[in-house]
Amino acid sequence: MNRKLLWAVLAIGLALVIAPLALGLPGKAAAGQRMLNGFQPIMQPDQVTTTARYYNDVFVPLGTVTPMMSAQNLAKFQAYLKGFAGMQTDAAKLVPLLAQAMHMTPAQVQAVMATQLPSMAAMLQNLPAMRRDFGGLLGTMQQNVGIFSQVPAGLAHYQPLVTTMQANVDNYKQVNSLPDFRLFTVFFVLPGALLVLLAGAGLFGGLATRISFHHDARPTPA
């Protein structure tokens, strides 16, 4: 074989061996395979559909609730809670006042209210529990006003992610069907090593034979 051609084959072989190592292909290919493995569960078609459904049917509607959880509304509801306290105080005076005006005992007034005004009687009786429950709701609301204020920005941030996942289900499937990325280094290095061996044999095999022949042909000292 032409020696120039052999030198070219040797250069190509060395490039195939050295270039992947110089570019860090083994580590990068391994990282790529780990990434594919990591994304495999969440990039399955059914999982992407579920992710999109949660985003569109749960989190996007949650954004319409966010204005209700503002600091302004919290202040308004806290004022209502103070009103509950005043109402509870006035409710304690209502039965005695009615009893005095109607010339009845408080027990008789309560019986009349339970019969004639059952809803009002039940509300007055439940005012302490209503105030306590409403106070607990406002406490939870106060703790989460800052979180709810970030919901619109969060929805805008994640919307491209969901859209990209939906658009790349088939692309991911095709890429994931490739051989293990960690084999890519072998695809370059192994053919390169074979080319180096073949070219080396053609270039230096005759030289080694001649050296061995000259060594064997030397006369043995007497």
Side-chain angles (χ1 to χ4, degrees):
M1 184 181 293
N2 188 298
R3 292 182 64 82
K4 290 183 178 180
L5 180 59
L6 288 174
W7 281 111
V9 171
L10 179 64
I12 294 172
L14 288 173
L16 289 173
V17 172
I18 295 172
L21 302 178
L23 294 173
L25 183 58
K28 294 176 180 178
Q33 187 61 46
R34 287 193 299 271
M35 182 181 68
L36 282 175
N37 294 342
F39 275 95
Q40 185 172 9
I42 63 175
M43 284 302 295
Q44 299 308 305
D46 60 330
Q47 292 301 310
V48 174
T49 299
T50 300
T51 299
R53 180 174 60 80
Y54 275 124
Y55 180 81
N56 293 315
D57 298 343
V58 178
F59 300 125
V60 170
L62 183 63
T64 63
V65 180
T66 299
M68 296 178 59
M69 304 298 289
S70 65
Q72 292 82 356
N73 278 344
L74 176 62
K76 184 196 301 183
F77 296 151
Q78 286 173 331
Y80 293 160
L81 184 61
K82 292 179 181 178
F84 269 113
M87 186 182 296
Q88 187 175 344
T89 301
D90 290 346
K93 302 175 183 178
L94 178 62
V95 172
L97 287 174
L98 288 175
Q100 184 179 0
M102 298 172 66
H103 305 288
M104 300 172 66
T105 65
Q108 289 174 327
V109 171
Q110 289 176 340
V112 170
M113 290 183 63
T115 303
Q116 302 298 323
L117 304 168
S119 297
M120 180 179 291
M123 186 189 73
L124 294 175
Q125 185 177 1
N126 290 324
L127 270 177
M130 292 169 62
R131 181 186 176 192
R132 183 176 60 252
D133 294 342
F134 194 64
L137 175 63
L138 289 186
T140 301
M141 182 177 173
Q142 185 173 17
Q143 293 173 1
N144 293 280
V145 165
I147 294 175
F148 274 93
S149 68
Q150 299 180 57
V151 169
L155 291 173
H157 176 79
Y158 283 104
Q159 194 272 335
L161 173 62
V162 175
T163 302
T164 301
M165 288 176 65
Q166 291 177 294
N168 284 279
V169 170
D170 291 337
N171 293 336
Y172 179 86
K173 182 178 180 180
Q174 293 184 44
V175 173
N176 197 43
S177 66
L178 292 171
D180 193 307
F181 277 17
R182 288 166 291 196
L183 295 175
F184 284 1
T185 303
V186 178
F187 294 158
F188 287 96
V189 173
L190 184 59
L194 290 175
L195 290 177
V196 169
L197 290 175
L198 290 173
L203 289 170
F204 307 112
L207 178 60
T209 301
R210 289 195 298 273
I211 292 174
S212 175
F213 174 78
H214 288 307
H215 181 273
D216 293 339
R218 287 180 182 177
T220 302

